[in-house]
Amino acid sequence: MTRRFLVAATIALLACLVAGPAPAGQGAKTVAFVDVAVVPMDRNRVLENRTVVVRDGRIAEIGPAATTKVPADALRVDGRGKFLMPGLAEMHGHLPHPNLGDPIAKAFLTLFVANGVTTVRGMYGFPNHTALRESVRKGEALGPRLFVASPALSGQSVANPEAAQRLVREHKQAGYDLLKVHEGLSKASYAAVVATANEVGLRFAGHVPNDVGLEGALAARQSSVEHLDGYVEALEADDSPIKNADAKTRDEKLLEYLDERKIPTLAARTRDAGVWNAPTMALWRTFFSSETVDSLRQRPELKYVPPQMVTQWSQQRAGQLQNRDDPKGLDRVLTLRDRTLKGLADAGAKLLLASDAPQLFSVPGFSLHREMEAMASAGLTPYQVLEAGTRNAAEYLGILGEAGTVEVGKRADLILVDANPLADVRNVARRSGVMIDGAWHSLADLQKMLDQVAATVAAPPKPQ
Ligand SMILES: [Zn+2]
């Protein structure tokens, strides 16, 4: 039941049709957030009454509001009563398909920026994504800093270990930042991916192929596991009578033979292997819940994706609900996922904030706020949730020296929020503005960007 449903659920809808030109991210070279509470995310604390000066895209100074001089040429942002935190990272996002064209791809990035998402790890690569990454880097497009995974290495794209070796080298050559591993890879092909990836110096991340299993992924030190893939299966009791049964029987019966007491051990092994998890909790809740199409269609952020996408999601959802033959089993999987996540956090295994948008009523940018709520409701503290989306993401990406926290010298990717995010992660959505790479966008600017996206996506699509 679990695996079959998981696979069906993760066949991603990759046709991201969000359109519209992105407004240029222009702003003053020097910006001062005056008398603001800083949530630095170096540890669980708030620094009250600070003034933060940003110059040329970097945090130049953080000091007591009473004594820190605001430079004469600075744009002053009143920080009283507000909190300044690092920008968020979407660590499992999907960037648009190349068929949609460059302007559309750039507009798509607007949704991230408007939601305070300043870094994105694109987890399903197409050849245009490296160019998109570069145009953001050069400042030609407004968008989050991009890290792009290769096209998926799956049972479909990789016929044998030789093909795996060849593709890994090609993806390295093409400039991808990491390799995406996916369903269906054989043990031998996976081993070839791992060996060649290590040889050429590329990380690999993604699903846990059936043949490999969680144990295999941990042993190979897969850099991140997506969707908590393989964890429920790894909870199979030692005395399970279906260990050698056929795939169909195992699929149907596995939930009867799980042992939750294995969670702490599994979590500790994950930590010790240095394997990260990008759990995508909210999307799985949608997949496995009984929420109706009508209810899902009420989500206000759906106006920022093309209506045909919502129609497609509605049909997909209707199909899921029709085939929902084991609601109790699905509830059980959701509970196990929450407990696994909590177990990983308790063990100190590293977590990443990740939503897998756009997929089934999850809209880029907006979906991360839903994801934070889902992680919190699994029992994580607000600090643990925010850490997954800020500091941890930067650490995973190898950029903690220049991003991920609010500290002098770091890249000015910031969110100004109206209430303490360490008290409640929902406060991150109460924005006063977003700074990306030193450029300030007030709430009014962000709303204008969103309005433009809404207008564009409402228009009928142009033939490609
Ligand atoms: Zn995905």
Side-chain angles (χ1 to χ4, degrees), residues 326-407:
D326 181 12
K328 271 206 183 118
L330 296 176
D331 280 351
R332 175 95 197 282
V333 176
L334 286 178
T335 304
L336 287 169
R337 286 175 57 81
D338 280 357
R339 289 180 185 161
T340 301
L341 184 71
K342 178 82 166 76
L344 288 165
D346 287 346
K350 294 282 177 64
L351 301 174
L352 298 167
L353 180 65
S355 84
D356 208 359
Q359 277 237 51
L360 199 69
F361 299 97
S362 66
V363 175
F366 294 89
S367 58
L368 275 193
H369 298 275
R370 294 185 182 276
E371 178 65 16
M372 287 192 288
E373 278 190 60
M375 290 173 89
S377 80
L380 270 58
T381 65
Y383 183 77
Q384 287 174 320
V385 175
L386 295 183
E387 190 182 33
T390 58
R391 185 197 167 80
N392 279 3
E395 188 185 333
Y396 172 89
L397 293 167
I399 56 170
L400 187 56
E402 46 157 328
T405 62
V406 184
E407 289 176 285

Side-chain angles (χ1 to χ4, degrees), residues 92 94 180 356:
H92 187 130
H94 288 287
K180 167 87 183 251
D356 208 359

Side-chain angles (χ1 to χ4, degrees), residues 213-228:
L214 187 64
E215 285 302 329
L218 295 182
R221 297 181 184 263
Q222 181 163 319
S223 76
S224 74
V225 168
E226 312 302 300
H227 322 302
L228 295 180

